[in-house]
Amino acid sequence: MREIDVSLITEAVSRACISANKVLPDDLAELIKKSADAETDDVPKDIMCRLCDNLCAAKELDIPICQDTGMAVIFAKIGQDVHFIGGNFKDAVNAGVAKGYTEGYLRKSVVADPLRRVNTGDNTPAAITVHLVDGEGCRITVAPKGFGSENMSQIKMLKPADGVEGFKKFVLDTVKLAGSNPCPPIVLGIGVGGSFDKVAYLAKKALLRPLDVPNPDPYYAQLEQELLAAINELGIGPQGFGGRTTCLGLAIEQMPTHVAGLPAAVNVSCHVTRRASAEL
């Protein structure tokens, strides 16, 4: 049994909130640079170059990449042999979010109630998902999620008869409907299988996978490539002005489902798809 003081959780989450909002993961930053080089028309190329400049400016000036510093989405993998001391894990995570968003001067966007709309003032509570795993480790990933793109996400309970073609059509229709709203070029997390609640979780989880890492199942890896090509052929392009780069990358996560169902979900994210992890 390993003991971890929850004060370490608070500090780790605080640092991750700040770093995730100021520096993009290397895989995504590299794709943005490559896409800028790949554009041939003046307007989309200029937009992609400006996105590159923005990333550099955020890093050099130590400021957020985007003004929407998002809702704090937290994924935690906790070893079953870990025992937390000094307080409650959930409270420690939320304390870390409050500390990070306050000390990092990050925009606080969370309201305490969805209908009464009163801001909590510190960007808490976070959306926390916990997984128990073997061992004594603790890995926390902070993935701030802006809602310009989140609002374009879709979930659909497809029928088994819709098959893979119906699944692909749903993904493409979601991107078409989103258009320029999610500040393309976009990143997509796609879930398939499970149940109504689990498929949305799969789509969110998919956004955590580095874009240079394909699905381990060759069938789904090929499907990822096919969908990415089809989406970029839509010609929506950077910020909706046309061009070759509508989607920087996508990831599919799948799980078993009921014989009568084919749940599917698309979590739309913008080019500022942020994540930062801490190991304790």
Side-chain angles (χ1 to χ4, degrees), residues 127-181:
I128 305 172
T129 299
V130 174
H131 290 281
L132 287 178
V133 297
D134 293 338
E136 298 182 333
C138 179
R139 178 180 175 84
I140 299 175
T141 299
V142 177
K145 189 66 167 68
F147 266 61
S149 59
E150 188 81 349
N151 287 339
M152 296 295 104
S153 302
Q154 298 284 337
I155 185 169
K156 190 167 185 177
M157 303 304 287
L158 296 168
K159 300 177 180 64
D162 292 323
V164 66
E165 293 304 318
F167 169 71
K168 290 194 287 187
K169 182 178 183 301
F170 165 61
V171 174
L172 288 171
D173 286 347
T174 299
V175 175
K176 291 176 187 174
L177 183 63
S180 64
N181 290 303

Coordinates of all heavy atoms in Angstrom, one line a residue, residues 127-181:
A127 N -14.7 18.4 -14.4 CA -15.3 17.2 -14.8 C -14.3 16.1 -14.6 O -13.4 16.0 -15.4 CB -15.8 17.3 -16.3
I128 N -14.5 15.3 -13.6 CA -13.5 14.3 -13.2 C -14.0 12.9 -13.6 O -15.1 12.5 -13.2 CB -13.3 14.4 -11.7 CG1 -12.9 15.8 -11.3 CG2 -12.2 13.4 -11.3 CD1 -12.8 16.0 -9.8
T129 N -13.1 12.1 -14.2 CA -13.3 10.7 -14.5 C -12.1 9.9 -13.9 O -11.0 10.2 -14.1 CB -13.3 10.4 -16.0 OG1 -14.4 11.1 -16.6 CG2 -13.5 8.9 -16.3
V130 N -12.5 9.0 -13.0 CA -11.5 8.2 -12.3 C -11.5 6.7 -12.8 O -12.6 6.1 -12.9 CB -11.7 8.2 -10.8 CG1 -10.7 7.3 -10.1 CG2 -11.5 9.6 -10.3
H131 N -10.3 6.2 -13.1 CA -10.2 4.8 -13.4 C -9.2 4.1 -12.4 O -8.2 4.6 -12.1 CB -9.6 4.6 -14.8 CG -10.5 5.0 -15.9 ND1 -11.5 4.2 -16.4 CD2 -10.5 6.1 -16.7 CE1 -12.1 4.8 -17.4 NE2 -11.5 6.0 -17.5
L132 N -9.7 3.0 -11.9 CA -8.8 2.2 -11.0 C -8.0 1.2 -11.9 O -8.6 0.5 -12.7 CB -9.7 1.4 -10.0 CG -10.3 2.2 -8.8 CD1 -11.1 1.3 -8.0 CD2 -9.2 2.9 -8.0
V133 N -6.7 1.2 -11.6 CA -5.8 0.3 -12.4 C -5.0 -0.5 -11.4 O -5.0 -0.2 -10.2 CB -4.9 1.1 -13.4 CG1 -5.8 1.8 -14.4 CG2 -4.1 2.2 -12.6
D134 N -4.2 -1.4 -11.9 CA -3.3 -2.2 -11.0 C -2.1 -1.3 -10.6 O -1.8 -0.3 -11.2 CB -2.7 -3.3 -11.8 CG -3.8 -4.4 -12.1 OD1 -4.8 -4.4 -11.5 OD2 -3.5 -5.2 -13.1
G135 N -1.6 -1.6 -9.4 CA -0.4 -1.0 -9.0 C -0.5 0.1 -8.0 O -1.6 0.3 -7.4
E136 N 0.5 0.9 -7.8 CA 0.6 2.0 -6.8 C 0.8 3.3 -7.4 O 1.2 4.3 -6.8 CB 1.8 1.7 -5.8 CG 1.6 0.4 -5.0 CD 2.8 0.2 -4.0 OE1 3.9 0.8 -4.3 OE2 2.6 -0.4 -3.0
G137 N 0.5 3.4 -8.7 CA 0.8 4.7 -9.4 C -0.5 5.6 -9.4 O -1.6 5.2 -9.1
C138 N -0.2 6.8 -9.8 CA -1.3 7.8 -10.0 C -1.0 8.7 -11.1 O 0.1 9.4 -11.0 CB -1.5 8.6 -8.7 SG -2.9 9.8 -8.8
R139 N -1.7 8.7 -12.2 CA -1.5 9.6 -13.3 C -2.7 10.4 -13.5 O -3.9 9.9 -13.7 CB -1.2 8.7 -14.6 CG -1.0 9.6 -15.8 CD -0.7 8.7 -17.0 NE -0.6 9.5 -18.3 CZ 0.5 10.1 -18.7 NH1 1.6 10.0 -18.0 NH2 0.5 10.7 -19.8
I140 N -2.5 11.7 -13.6 CA -3.6 12.7 -13.8 C -3.4 13.5 -15.0 O -2.3 14.0 -15.3 CB -3.7 13.7 -12.6 CG1 -4.0 12.9 -11.3 CG2 -4.8 14.7 -12.8 CD1 -4.0 13.7 -10.0
T141 N -4.4 13.5 -15.9 CA -4.3 14.3 -17.1 C -5.4 15.4 -17.1 O -6.6 15.1 -16.8 CB -4.6 13.4 -18.4 OG1 -3.6 12.4 -18.4 CG2 -4.5 14.2 -19.6
V142 N -4.9 16.6 -17.3 CA -5.8 17.8 -17.4 C -6.0 18.1 -18.8 O -5.0 18.3 -19.6 CB -5.2 19.0 -16.6 CG1 -6.1 20.2 -16.7 CG2 -5.0 18.6 -15.1
A143 N -7.3 18.2 -19.3 CA -7.6 18.5 -20.7 C -8.6 19.6 -20.7 O -9.8 19.4 -20.9 CB -8.1 17.2 -21.4
P144 N -8.2 20.9 -20.6 CA -9.1 22.0 -20.7 C -9.9 22.0 -22.0 O -9.3 21.9 -23.0 CB -8.2 23.2 -20.6 CG -7.0 22.7 -19.9 CD -6.8 21.3 -20.5
K145 N -11.2 22.1 -21.9 CA -12.1 22.0 -23.1 C -12.9 23.3 -23.3 O -13.8 23.6 -22.5 CB -13.0 20.8 -23.0 CG -13.8 20.5 -24.3 CD -12.8 20.1 -25.4 CE -13.5 19.4 -26.6 NZ -14.4 20.4 -27.3
G146 N -12.6 24.0 -24.4 CA -13.4 25.2 -24.7 C -14.8 24.8 -25.3 O -14.9 23.7 -25.9
F147 N -15.7 25.6 -25.2 CA -17.1 25.2 -25.6 C -17.5 25.7 -27.0 O -18.6 25.4 -27.4 CB -18.1 25.6 -24.5 CG -18.3 24.5 -23.5 CD1 -17.3 24.0 -22.8 CD2 -19.6 23.9 -23.4 CE1 -17.5 22.9 -21.9 CE2 -19.8 22.9 -22.6 CZ -18.8 22.4 -21.8
G148 N -16.7 26.5 -27.6 CA -17.0 26.8 -29.0 C -17.0 25.6 -29.9 O -17.9 25.4 -30.7
S149 N -16.1 24.7 -29.6 CA -16.0 23.4 -30.2 C -16.9 22.4 -29.5 O -17.6 21.6 -30.2 CB -14.6 22.9 -30.3 OG -14.0 22.8 -29.0
E150 N -16.9 22.4 -28.2 CA -17.7 21.4 -27.5 C -19.2 21.4 -27.9 O -19.9 20.4 -28.0 CB -17.6 21.7 -26.0 CG -18.2 20.6 -25.1 CD -17.4 19.4 -24.9 OE1 -16.3 19.3 -25.6 OE2 -17.7 18.6 -24.0
N151 N -19.7 22.7 -28.1 CA -21.1 22.8 -28.5 C -21.4 22.2 -29.9 O -22.6 22.0 -30.2 CB -21.5 24.3 -28.6 CG -21.6 24.9 -27.2 OD1 -21.8 24.2 -26.2 ND2 -21.5 26.2 -27.1
M152 N -20.4 21.9 -30.7 CA -20.7 21.3 -32.0 C -20.6 19.7 -31.9 O -20.8 19.1 -32.9 CB -19.6 21.7 -33.0 CG -19.6 23.2 -33.2 SD -21.1 23.8 -34.1 CE -22.0 24.6 -32.7
S153 N -20.4 19.2 -30.8 CA -20.4 17.7 -30.6 C -21.7 17.1 -30.7 O -22.8 17.7 -30.5 CB -19.7 17.4 -29.2 OG -18.5 18.0 -29.1
Q154 N -21.7 15.8 -31.1 CA -23.0 15.1 -31.4 C -22.9 13.7 -30.9 O -21.9 13.1 -30.8 CB -23.3 15.1 -32.9 CG -23.5 16.4 -33.6 CD -24.8 17.1 -33.3 OE1 -25.8 16.4 -32.9 NE2 -24.9 18.4 -33.4
I155 N -24.1 13.2 -30.5 CA -24.2 11.8 -30.1 C -25.4 11.2 -30.8 O -26.4 12.0 -31.0 CB -24.4 11.6 -28.6 CG1 -24.4 10.1 -28.2 CG2 -25.6 12.3 -28.1 CD1 -24.2 9.9 -26.7
K156 N -25.3 10.0 -31.3 CA -26.5 9.4 -32.0 C -26.5 7.9 -31.8 O -25.5 7.2 -31.8 CB -26.3 9.7 -33.6 CG -27.5 9.3 -34.4 CD -27.5 9.8 -35.8 CE -28.7 9.6 -36.5 NZ -28.7 10.1 -37.9
M157 N -27.7 7.5 -31.5 CA -28.0 6.0 -31.3 C -28.3 5.4 -32.7 O -29.5 5.3 -33.1 CB -29.1 5.8 -30.3 CG -28.8 6.5 -28.9 SD -27.3 6.0 -28.1 CE -27.7 4.3 -27.6
L158 N -27.3 5.0 -33.4 CA -27.5 4.4 -34.7 C -28.0 3.0 -34.5 O -27.9 2.4 -33.5 CB -26.1 4.3 -35.4 CG -25.4 5.7 -35.8 CD1 -24.0 5.4 -36.2 CD2 -26.2 6.4 -36.9
K159 N -28.6 2.5 -35.6 CA -29.1 1.1 -35.6 C -28.0 0.2 -36.2 O -27.2 0.6 -37.0 CB -30.3 1.0 -36.5 CG -31.5 1.9 -36.0 CD -32.7 1.8 -37.0 CE -33.8 2.6 -36.6 NZ -33.5 4.1 -36.6
P160 N -27.9 -1.0 -35.7 CA -26.9 -1.9 -36.2 C -26.9 -2.0 -37.8 O -25.9 -2.2 -38.4 CB -27.3 -3.3 -35.6 CG -27.9 -2.9 -34.3 CD -28.7 -1.7 -34.6
A161 N -28.1 -1.9 -38.4 CA -28.2 -2.0 -39.8 C -27.5 -0.8 -40.5 O -27.2 -0.9 -41.7 CB -29.7 -2.0 -40.2
D162 N -27.3 0.3 -39.8 CA -26.6 1.5 -40.3 C -25.2 1.1 -40.7 O -24.6 1.6 -41.6 CB -26.6 2.7 -39.4 CG -28.0 3.2 -39.2 OD1 -28.8 3.3 -40.2 OD2 -28.4 3.6 -38.1
G163 N -24.6 0.2 -39.9 CA -23.2 -0.3 -40.2 C -22.2 0.8 -40.2 O -22.3 1.9 -39.8
V164 N -21.0 0.4 -40.8 CA -19.9 1.3 -40.8 C -20.2 2.5 -41.7 O -19.7 3.6 -41.5 CB -18.6 0.5 -41.3 CG1 -18.7 0.0 -42.7 CG2 -17.4 1.4 -41.1
E165 N -20.9 2.3 -42.8 CA -21.2 3.4 -43.7 C -22.1 4.4 -43.0 O -21.9 5.7 -43.1 CB -21.9 2.9 -45.0 CG -21.0 2.1 -45.9 CD -19.7 2.8 -46.2 OE1 -19.8 4.0 -46.5 OE2 -18.6 2.2 -46.2
G166 N -23.1 4.0 -42.2 CA -23.9 4.9 -41.4 C -23.1 5.6 -40.3 O -23.3 6.8 -40.1
F167 N -22.1 4.9 -39.8 CA -21.2 5.5 -38.8 C -20.4 6.6 -39.4 O -20.2 7.7 -38.9 CB -20.3 4.4 -38.2 CG -19.2 4.9 -37.4 CD1 -19.4 5.5 -36.1 CD2 -17.9 4.8 -37.8 CE1 -18.3 5.9 -35.3 CE2 -16.8 5.3 -37.0 CZ -17.0 5.8 -35.8
K168 N -19.8 6.3 -40.6 CA -19.0 7.3 -41.3 C -19.8 8.5 -41.7 O -19.3 9.7 -41.6 CB -18.3 6.7 -42.5 CG -17.2 5.7 -42.1 CD -16.3 5.3 -43.3 CE -16.9 4.4 -44.3 NZ -16.0 4.0 -45.3
K169 N -21.0 8.3 -42.1 CA -21.9 9.4 -42.5 C -22.2 10.3 -41.3 O -22.2 11.5 -41.5 CB -23.2 8.8 -43.1 CG -24.2 9.9 -43.6 CD -25.4 9.3 -44.2 CE -26.3 10.4 -44.8 NZ -26.8 11.4 -43.8
F170 N -22.4 9.7 -40.2 CA -22.7 10.5 -39.0 C -21.5 11.4 -38.6 O -21.7 12.6 -38.3 CB -23.0 9.5 -37.8 CG -23.0 10.2 -36.5 CD1 -23.8 11.2 -36.1 CD2 -22.1 9.8 -35.5 CE1 -23.8 11.9 -34.9 CE2 -22.0 10.4 -34.3 CZ -22.8 11.4 -34.0
V171 N -20.3 10.8 -38.7 CA -19.1 11.7 -38.4 C -19.0 12.8 -39.4 O -18.8 14.0 -39.0 CB -17.8 10.8 -38.5 CG1 -16.6 11.7 -38.3 CG2 -17.9 9.7 -37.4
L172 N -19.2 12.5 -40.7 CA -19.0 13.6 -41.7 C -20.2 14.6 -41.6 O -19.9 15.8 -41.7 CB -19.1 12.9 -43.1 CG -17.8 12.2 -43.5 CD1 -18.0 11.4 -44.8 CD2 -16.6 13.1 -43.6
D173 N -21.4 14.2 -41.3 CA -22.5 15.1 -41.1 C -22.2 16.0 -39.9 O -22.6 17.2 -40.0 CB -23.8 14.3 -40.9 CG -24.3 13.7 -42.2 OD1 -23.8 14.1 -43.3 OD2 -25.2 12.9 -42.1
T174 N -21.6 15.5 -38.9 CA -21.3 16.3 -37.7 C -20.3 17.4 -38.1 O -20.5 18.6 -37.6 CB -20.7 15.4 -36.6 OG1 -21.7 14.4 -36.2 CG2 -20.4 16.3 -35.4
V175 N -19.3 17.1 -38.8 CA -18.3 18.1 -39.3 C -19.0 19.1 -40.2 O -18.7 20.3 -40.1 CB -17.1 17.4 -40.0 CG1 -16.2 18.4 -40.5 CG2 -16.4 16.4 -39.0
K176 N -19.8 18.7 -41.1 CA -20.5 19.6 -42.0 C -21.4 20.6 -41.3 O -21.4 21.8 -41.5 CB -21.3 18.8 -43.0 CG -20.5 18.0 -44.1 CD -21.5 17.2 -44.9 CE -20.8 16.3 -45.9 NZ -21.7 15.4 -46.6
L177 N -22.1 20.0 -40.3 CA -23.0 20.9 -39.5 C -22.2 21.9 -38.7 O -22.6 23.0 -38.5 CB -23.9 20.0 -38.6 CG -24.9 20.7 -37.7 CD1 -25.9 21.4 -38.6 CD2 -25.6 19.7 -36.8
A178 N -21.1 21.5 -38.2 CA -20.2 22.4 -37.4 C -19.7 23.5 -38.2 O -19.6 24.6 -37.8 CB -19.1 21.6 -36.7
G179 N -19.3 23.2 -39.5 CA -18.7 24.2 -40.3 C -17.6 25.0 -39.7 O -16.6 24.4 -39.2
S180 N -17.7 26.3 -39.7 CA -16.6 27.1 -39.2 C -16.7 27.4 -37.7 O -15.8 28.0 -37.1 CB -16.6 28.5 -40.0 OG -17.8 29.2 -39.7
N181 N -17.8 27.0 -37.1 CA -18.1 27.3 -35.7 C -17.0 26.9 -34.7 O -16.7 27.6 -33.8 CB -19.5 26.7 -35.3 CG -20.6 27.5 -35.9 OD1 -20.7 28.7 -35.8 ND2 -21.5 26.8 -36.7

